[in-house]
Amino acid sequence: MDSPAARFEAFGPDHLAWIGLCLVGCGGVVWLGRRLRVRGVEPSFRRAVAVLLVVVTLPLQVLQLLPGDFRLGSSLPIQVCDLAWVLAAWALWSGRRRPAQVLLLWGVTLVPQAVLTPALVQTFPDPRYLMFWSMHLLTIWSAVYLAATGRARPSWRGLAVTVAATLAWVASVMTFNAVAGTNYGYLNGKPAGGSLLDLLGPWPTYVAAEVAIVLAVWTTVTAVVAGCRPRGGRVPEGAAVVPHPR
């Protein structure tokens, strides 16, 4: 059993350091993405990051499924963040627009929640600790990078796909939680220690409120970006043109 000294402390020194690193990294990938796009080496770099994401994250997730480390309530890779890193690897490797659009909306709204309020007990150098931070930060940086290179520009169709995928996840995970007695995504109960969900009412009201809030944010972002597009699909003179493969 973990001693109090060995437990992760929310908003302790290492947590604040990870938050700072996440923010600095977001600025760094924006700077890097713009320069690689100009130099014409962006596709090679993007695929290298996709491989890095798989190499770093997959072994640590497999480790959680081994008998000595498996916990039904936390080891299964069915959280949004678990799906998001796979989506990030796909979007980075393929350069396809649709997975990049879904990743952007997940990566700048849902995944950062895990960084700000981590459901984490272990500390360095526990594999779960290393997997948690590497997976979440690489996913967020991937989403920001794809946005900086123009491949994750939101659209109404992309929003529709994201909403459909998210609602399917909510329904399937809530069903699994009910059958298995788990609480992935805190969809079937609030965190025991209290959280911002306490402001949204009891279950299942807070789940519906979460969905409504996230949908409103995604719709606003999409509307703003879509409203900034030139009419007729014309690109302003001097603007960089980035292909959006489907």
Side-chain angles (χ1 to χ4, degrees), residues 10-173:
F11 297 103
D14 61 336
H15 185 196
L16 294 177
W18 283 114
I19 293 175
L21 178 61
C22 181
L23 295 174
V24 171
C26 286
V29 296
V30 169
W31 177 86
L32 184 62
R34 290 176 176 175
R35 278 150 184 78
L36 292 178
R37 183 178 59 182
V38 172
R39 296 180 182 181
V41 297
E42 190 273 332
S44 298
F45 175 80
R46 178 166 36 82
R47 290 193 169 190
V49 175
V51 172
L52 173 65
L53 186 57
V54 173
V55 169
V56 169
T57 306
L58 185 58
L60 293 172
Q61 285 213 316
V62 170
L63 181 63
Q64 294 186 85
L65 300 176
L66 298 180
D69 198 61
F70 180 78
R71 301 170 191 171
L72 179 61
S74 61
S75 294
L76 296 177
I78 58 176
Q79 303 274 31
V80 161
C81 297
D82 297 314
L83 305 180
W85 82 258
V86 176
L87 191 65
W90 176 23
L92 288 167
W93 182 265
S94 67
R96 294 175 66 88
R97 184 183 185 189
R98 202 66 68 212
Q101 289 176 323
V102 178
L103 174 66
L104 176 64
L105 294 178
W106 281 1
V108 300
T109 56
L110 302 183
V111 180
Q113 293 183 44
V115 173
L116 293 175
T117 56
L120 187 64
V121 174
Q122 296 78 12
T123 59
F124 180 86
D126 189 280
R128 282 177 176 260
Y129 177 91
L130 298 174
M131 187 277 291
F132 181 92
W133 291 112
S134 61
M135 178 180 73
H136 288 87
L137 265 61
L138 285 173
T139 300
I140 293 172
W141 291 342
S142 298
V144 174
Y145 175 82
L146 289 168
T149 57
R151 296 182 180 275
R153 188 182 183 94
S155 69
W156 292 113
R157 183 173 296 180
L159 173 63
V161 172
T162 305
V163 171
T166 306
L167 291 179
W169 173 81
V170 169
S172 59
V173 172

Side-chain angles (χ1 to χ4, degrees), residues 203-246:
W203 185 90
T205 303
Y206 76 85
V207 177
E210 276 190 290
V211 171
I213 292 170
V214 170
L215 179 57
V217 172
W218 288 351
T219 302
T220 301
V221 170
T222 302
V224 170
V225 174
C228 292
R229 291 181 180 175
R231 293 183 179 180
R234 295 181 180 179
V235 178
E237 185 176 354
V241 178
V242 180
H244 297 299
R246 296 183 181 273

